[in-house]
């Protein structure tokens, strides 16, 4: 018989068993790791409901959920805010269904307008889905030069331009250089920055599986930085930031090549370029690297809503807010941003 219970992070043995299951389950991702629960609670103050299925004493499925309550966007039960992947990861269909039934019952008890499950594979063709996002994943070749030659010619020329400009990369101990570049970058795009504490907590929680790589000019000036996650044999560059001078020096292109090159050196097999919205600059950039998009299936169970929410910068009704945010002084935007962005997810 399959039973469903909640994970209590104070129960270290069960949390370790959760992570052992996640590491072994093909459907699971870095975002299914138990440590996200602490970050969502402590940094963003979201109520979390980490559900696990059991057959006897054996964990057979997990479903991490967070209840996001927002004065701006309403509330939702989601798997998982601030994650590009989520939803059910299970060893069998009975466990998957038990977890989903428990999630739907929880959503109705919480009286949220909708339940959102961010699956990589379609599970419910009869549920409405958000068809805005795709992911880009590609196998890494074991030889560094072979990976260079696999990059399309025009993009490869940009990487070589960065090398010719004398750019170098290093792994940072902290998040200071990364956060300065990231916060300035998102401000220029009219988007609130996540708090510096969030990135510091990611590093503390996940250790060597969360890494910051920074590219510098020959004079030592930081130009571009990326915070990446490592899971099994994959690398996932997740948050990034660039100086205004980075484009002319090809620092952004060089940054991802350095990350790819270092991943090959570590014997990793997959480069996961992560999520992008269709028809955007990041989407085109990743295509230029020879990566092909794969649709993501963000599936919704609607309760008091008539349609899938569109809480993203592509929504025309947020254009005024974006333009206003760009005009705010950076220091004020960095102070105000965490109060706003916790509701975005």
């Amino acid at each position: 018989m399959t039973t469903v219970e909640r994970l209590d992070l104070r129960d270290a043995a069960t949390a370790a068993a959760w992570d052992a299951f996640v590491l072994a389950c093909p459907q699971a991702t870095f975002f299914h790791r138990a440590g996200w629960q602490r970050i969502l609670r402590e940094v963003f103050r979201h109520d979390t409901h980490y559900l696990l299925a059991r057959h006897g004493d054996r964990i057979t499925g997990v479903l991490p959920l967070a209840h996001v309550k927002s004065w701006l966007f309403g509330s939702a039960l989601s798997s998982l805010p601030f994650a590009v992947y989520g939803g059910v990861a299970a060893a069998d269909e009975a466990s998957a269904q038990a977890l989903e039934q428990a999630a739907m019952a929880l959503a109705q008890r919480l009286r949220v307008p909708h339940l959102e499950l961010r699956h990589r594979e379609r599970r419910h063709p009869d549920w409405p889905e958000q068809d805005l996002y795709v992911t880009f994943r590609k196998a890494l070749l074991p030889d560094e030069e072979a990976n260079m030659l696999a990059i399309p010619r025009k993009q490869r020329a940009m990487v070589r331009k960065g090398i010719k400009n004398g750019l170098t990369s290093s792994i940072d101990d902290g998040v200071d250089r990364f956060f300065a570049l990231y916060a300035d970058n998102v401000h220029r795009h009219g988007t609130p920055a996540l708090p510096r504490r969030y990135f510091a907590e990611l590093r503390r929680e996940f250790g060597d599986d969360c890494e910051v790589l920074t590219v510098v000019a020959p004079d030592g000036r930081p130009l571009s930085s990326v915070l990446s996650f490592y899971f099994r044999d994959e690398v996932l560059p997740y948050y990034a930031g660039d100086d205004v001078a980075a484009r002319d020096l090809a620092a952004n292109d060089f940054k991802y090549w350095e990350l790819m090159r270092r991943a090959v050196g570590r014997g990793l097999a997959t480069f996961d370029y992560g999520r992008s919205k269709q028809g955007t600059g990041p989407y085109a950039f990743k295509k230029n690297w020879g990566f092909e998009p794969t649709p993501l299936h963000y599936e919704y169970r609607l309760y008091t809503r008539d349609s899938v929410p569109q809480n993203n910068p592509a929504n025309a009704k947020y254009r005024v807010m974006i333009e206003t945010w760009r005009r705010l002084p950076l220091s004020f935007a960095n102070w105000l941003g965490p109060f706003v962005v916790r509701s975005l997810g």
Side-chain angles (χ1 to χ4, degrees), residues 36 40 65 69 75 88 162 195 244 278-279 317 330:
W36 282 99
L40 290 168
L65 294 159
K69 291 167 276 190
S75 66
V88 171
V244 291
Q278 298 183 58
K317 75 177 184 179
L330 179 59

Side-chain angles (χ1 to χ4, degrees), residues 186-192 313 315-329:
V186 297
H187 181 249
R188 294 197 308 270
H189 287 84
T191 304
N315 190 331
K317 75 177 184 179
Y318 298 127
R319 286 176 186 165
V320 173
M321 295 173 62
I322 291 170
E323 289 303 319
T324 301
W325 197 270
R326 284 176 175 155
R327 296 188 179 95
L328 294 177

Side-chain angles (χ1 to χ4, degrees), residues 77-99:
L77 187 63
S78 175
S79 179
L80 200 61
F82 305 103
V84 296
Y85 312 134
V88 171
D92 55 74
E93 185 58 24
S95 297
Q97 290 186 17
L99 288 165

Side-chain angles (χ1 to χ4, degrees), residues 8-156:
D8 185 342
L9 272 181
R10 293 172 296 183
D11 182 350
T14 304
W18 172 296
D19 276 340
F21 173 83
V22 165
L23 189 63
C25 179
Q27 298 169 348
T29 70
F30 183 84
F31 304 99
H32 287 85
R33 291 182 58 172
W36 282 99
Q37 181 169 208
R38 183 186 70 80
I39 290 171
L40 290 168
R41 285 181 177 179
E42 295 182 6
V43 177
F44 298 109
R45 303 190 305 280
H46 292 321
D47 294 331
T48 56
H49 307 268
Y50 272 48
L51 307 180
L52 62 92
R54 288 187 187 272
H55 284 311
D57 294 332
R58 182 170 58 94
I59 294 177
T60 55
V62 299
L63 174 53
L65 294 159
H67 184 194
V68 178
K69 291 167 276 190
S70 168
W71 59 269
L72 187 60
F73 302 111
S75 66
L77 187 63
S78 175
S79 179
L80 200 61
F82 305 103
V84 296
Y85 312 134
V88 171
D92 55 74
E93 185 58 24
S95 297
Q97 290 186 17
L99 288 165
E100 289 182 342
Q101 289 296 324
M104 288 187 282
L106 175 62
Q108 291 179 302
R109 287 201 303 273
L110 295 173
R111 297 183 179 180
V112 294
H114 67 270
L115 166 69
E116 177 188 15
L117 301 180
R118 300 180 178 182
H119 291 129
R120 289 199 297 197
E121 304 292 336
R122 193 79 157 114
R123 274 193 53 80
H124 298 285
D126 57 330
W127 287 21
E129 73 167 339
Q130 172 70 270
D131 59 0
L132 181 64
Y133 298 109
V134 300
T135 189
F136 292 85
R137 292 164 55 83
K138 187 176 181 181
L140 291 170
L141 300 170
D143 178 71
E144 180 180 314
E145 184 60 21
N147 283 285
M148 174 68 85
L149 294 175
I151 302 171
R153 181 177 56 83
K154 289 184 179 179
Q155 187 59 50
R156 187 166 68 244

Side-chain angles (χ1 to χ4, degrees), residues 219-237:
D219 62 4
R221 178 167 46 107
L223 294 173
S224 188
S225 189
V226 59
L227 183 148
S228 302
F229 298 133
Y230 291 88
F231 182 68
R232 292 193 283 245
D233 61 352
E234 304 177 6
V235 58
L236 169 57

